Amino acid sequence: MALENSVFPSRPDSLALPVEEKGEVEEPEAGTKATASTGVFNVSEELGHVVTTQTRASTSPPAKVKRSFQSKLAEREANANQHIKKTQGTEKERGRFGWARARRKRQRYVEKNGRCNVQHGNMRETYRYLTDIFTTLVDLNWRCSLFVFVMAYAVTWLFFGAIWYLIAYCRGDLDHLEDEAWTPCVNNVNGFISAFLFSIETETTIGYGHRVITDQCPVGTMLLLLQAILGSMVNAFMVGCMFVKISQPNKRAETLVFSKHAVISLRDDKLCLMFRVGDLRSSHIVGANMRAKLIKSKQTQEGEFIPLDQTDISVGFETGDDRLFLVSPLVISHEIDAHSPFWDMSQAQLEKEDFEIVVILEGMVEATGMTCQARSSYLTEEVLWGHRFSPMMLLAEGFFDIDYGAFHHTFEVNTPSCSARELALAAARLDAHLYWSISSRLDEEPTLAEQATKQPDGSSADNKAREPIFTVGEMTDIQEQSALGELNGSITTDQSETEA
């Protein structure tokens, strides 16, 4: 071609090749720079052939290096992308008068780790916590629980030790320490420290044998029985609290993980809201059950404002899909139908909405038999439209291998940006159009009998004697007579057919 060995002073704009938009613009190679500087035009393979040109060796370098139009366009796009990246983090909305204002970030109702972000204040009936002291102690944090545990034993030991010292002081045992003829209430109790040690030995049933109560002190005998009974109650109460606190299934929920994002894409030609849940332990959750709630403020028709209104999101309660066999990670799907709160929500409207989706997984721990609950939530910006979860199960030799590295990974798929209502209406219109188009074609199609009448008389007479007549939309005389014959219980003969 004439363009193969042509040299232009500068590359024309009309022959510039399209440049793909990329986040990072690659720098042109040295050969490309040399070609652009000398003004040699190379046609790429996209035009259907490969062109090779020979560059002329320049004797003297030019004072100003001329850049090609493609490099200038790439630099312009790079600058535009950098500007977008800078302004993307500081995205602002416009107010009523066009003033820029930062978009308010929604406060989470439930944190990603499952903690409910609610604090109770101005509670005047605090005595109700004391009526259920066991649950109150179990709900305390570990620092307070350990403090209460230590103080419960220390206070009882000090209390009974002071009583034992008071008995020894009142009976005069401390004044007759060197008198061997004197029988004290408790042997070898010569002060408060020894009385405190005797209290510890009595309550913990250690019994070293050095300090022993005698039979000459009925008050001491009654106090010994009281301390033994009260000490057993303290042991049962505090050990029970610590055991329940240690065996609480709250930490079991740490190994039940939810995906960082929820996605919306098509499943069986229907828009579905999906998220992924998995169990990191080999011991399974028995009777796992999944629930989902939409947290969104609304205003009723009467003008009542309901903050943080809870709306149920169906994840298969009618079909039983909410009951999970959580051996491997599962993708929980919510079909967006007419009963869904996302029925009228499109992709553009999703970016403007302000809601929170709370997901709850309940089940019984197989090892302890206690009920466990794991929670998480998704804000509006954590719901990705047009994405799908990546597969993470591989078939190995004799087992299924789960790759948890792809647990949170998603990829984009072709998804309509309209709402589920608009998608259903479009599908209904398409079905109606196909139905009426087929019926209209059948009505407009001429019958074979009409086509036969348009042919010449001689050929039509032969065809009538040889071939049967089929019609569409109406019944011939032969079909009518055969139908009447079948109704009357008789069969038409060949002669009646020829006469007809």
Side-chain angles (χ1 to χ4, degrees):
M1 295 177 63
L3 295 174
E4 294 183 359
N5 297 323
S6 301
V7 179
F8 296 94
S10 62
R11 188 169 181 175
D13 298 345
S14 60
L15 295 179
L17 300 180
V19 181
E20 296 182 357
E21 295 182 358
K22 295 183 179 179
E24 297 179 358
V25 180
E26 299 180 356
E27 296 182 357
E29 298 180 355
T32 307
K33 293 180 180 179
T35 304
S37 62
T38 55
V40 180
F41 175 66
N42 296 333
V43 184
S44 66
E45 297 181 1
E46 297 181 1
L47 297 180
H49 62 280
V50 180
V51 177
T52 58
T53 59
Q54 297 180 357
T55 59
R56 295 177 300 175
S58 58
T59 57
S60 60
K64 294 183 179 180
V65 180
K66 296 182 179 180
R67 293 183 301 173
S68 63
F69 177 77
Q70 185 175 0
S71 61
K72 293 181 180 179
L73 182 61
E75 183 180 359
R76 186 180 302 174
E77 290 179 356
N79 296 332
N81 292 334
Q82 291 179 1
H83 178 71
I84 291 174
K85 289 181 180 179
K86 291 180 180 179
T87 58
Q88 189 174 6
T90 60
E91 182 180 359
K92 297 182 179 180
E93 295 179 353
R94 295 291 177 180
R96 179 180 300 178
F97 301 102
W99 291 28
R101 60 182 181 184
R103 184 176 180 180
R104 183 179 59 87
K105 185 178 180 181
R106 177 183 172 87
Q107 181 67 41
R108 284 187 179 273
Y109 189 65
V110 177
E111 299 290 342
K112 296 293 287 186
N113 58 1
R115 185 181 64 86
C116 296
N117 195 11
V118 177
Q119 294 184 0
H120 302 280
N122 196 18
M123 294 181 299
R124 301 179 180 179
E125 299 179 355
T126 55
Y127 66 90
R128 295 181 181 271
Y129 289 98
L130 299 178
T131 58
D132 189 10
I133 187 64
F134 185 82
T135 306
T136 303
L137 293 177
V138 171
D139 290 340
L140 292 176
N141 53 26
W142 274 104
R143 185 178 302 176
C144 296
S145 297
L146 292 177
F147 178 77
V148 172
F149 183 83
V150 172
M151 292 302 297
Y153 285 102
V155 167
T156 53
W157 294 341
L158 289 172
F159 175 73
F160 284 101
I163 294 178
W164 286 114
Y165 176 77
L166 183 62
I167 291 175
Y169 179 80
C170 293
R171 291 184 76 255
D173 295 340
L174 301 179
D175 299 333
H176 301 81
L177 296 177
E178 303 295 336
D179 190 0
E180 296 181 356
W182 180 263
T183 303
C185 183
V186 180
N187 292 328
N188 300 317
V189 174
N190 52 10
F192 179 77
I193 301 300
S194 59
F196 177 70
L197 293 177
F198 178 72
S199 174
I200 295 176
E201 294 175 10
T202 303
E203 189 168 341
T204 58
T205 64
I206 295 177
Y208 292 112
H210 183 65
R211 281 173 284 271
V212 183
I213 189 172
T214 62
D215 55 356
Q216 300 296 326
C217 182
V219 178
T221 304
M222 298 298 296
L223 182 61
L224 179 66
L225 294 176
L226 180 62
Q227 185 176 3
I229 296 173
L230 187 60
S232 299
M233 295 176 61
V234 172
N235 287 332
F237 189 81
M238 298 309 302
V239 172
C241 287
M242 296 302 294
F243 176 77
V244 171
K245 192 170 184 63
I246 292 173
S247 62
Q248 269 186 331
N250 295 338
K251 297 302 180 182
R252 179 63 177 89
E254 297 293 334
T255 54
L256 297 174
V257 292
F258 295 88
S259 58
K260 294 181 181 178
H261 296 88
V263 299
I264 295 179
S265 60
L266 289 176
R267 261 195 177 185
D268 298 330
D269 296 334
K270 295 181 180 179
L271 283 177
C272 296
L273 171 69
M274 293 171 285
F275 57 92
R276 181 180 275 171
V277 61
D279 188 3
L280 301 180
R281 288 189 179 272
S282 57
S283 59
H284 310 307
I285 297 294
V286 180
N289 185 20
M290 177 62 65
R291 293 184 294 131
K293 293 285 185 180
L294 176 65
I295 309 298
K296 182 181 178 182
S297 301
K298 74 171 186 178
Q299 188 172 5
T300 62
Q301 297 179 359
E302 294 79 13
E304 180 186 3
F305 179 75
I306 304 177
L308 302 179
D309 181 62
Q310 300 184 10
T311 305
D312 187 61
I313 300 176
S314 177
V315 290
F317 177 77
E318 297 81 4
T319 59
D321 294 336
D322 59 333
R323 294 184 289 272
L324 309 178
F325 181 55
L326 198 59
V327 178
S328 61
L330 300 176
V331 176
I332 310 301
S333 176
H334 162 65
E335 181 179 340
I336 303 179
D337 53 7
H339 303 284
S340 173
F342 308 105
W343 176 243
D344 297 321
M345 188 176 299
S346 61
Q347 183 180 3
Q349 188 178 0
L350 176 64
E351 299 175 354
K352 302 177 182 178
E353 287 291 335
D354 188 12
F355 62 84
E356 182 177 356
I357 301 174
V358 178
V359 292
I360 305 169
L361 175 63
E362 295 178 341
M364 187 173 61
V365 182
E366 187 178 21
T368 61
M370 303 182 70
T371 304
C372 172
Q373 184 181 90
R375 299 179 294 267
S376 185
S377 66
Y378 301 99
L379 296 180
T380 307
E381 56 269 16
E382 295 173 348
V383 179
L384 304 179
W385 189 288
H387 283 245
R388 188 181 297 169
F389 287 105
S390 300
M392 52 184 301
M393 181 179 291
L394 301 175
L395 179 60
E397 295 182 359
F399 61 93
F400 294 94
D401 187 16
I402 306 298
D403 181 17
Y404 275 95
F407 184 82
H408 303 285
H409 187 262
T410 62
F411 61 95
E412 294 185 4
V413 293
N414 294 328
T415 305
S417 60
C418 62
S419 63
R421 176 192 290 272
E422 296 173 353
L423 188 63
L425 291 176
R429 292 193 193 100
L430 181 60
D431 294 340
H433 176 71
L434 292 176
Y435 174 78
W436 290 110
S437 62
I438 293 174
S439 60
S440 61
R441 288 178 183 177
L442 291 176
D443 294 338
E444 295 176 359
E445 182 179 348
T447 60
L448 294 178
E450 294 177 355
Q451 293 179 358
T453 55
K454 295 179 182 180
Q455 295 179 358
D457 297 336
S459 60
S460 62
D462 297 336
N463 292 333
K464 288 182 180 179
R466 295 177 183 177
E467 299 179 356
I469 299 174
F470 298 95
T471 60
V472 179
E474 59 183 4
M475 184 179 292
T476 61
D477 297 337
I478 298 175
Q479 294 175 352
E480 185 176 1
Q481 289 182 5
S482 61
L484 292 174
E486 291 177 358
L487 291 174
N488 294 330
S490 61
I491 302 175
T492 58
T493 60
D494 296 338
Q495 183 177 1
S496 62
E497 292 178 359
T498 56
E499 291 176 359

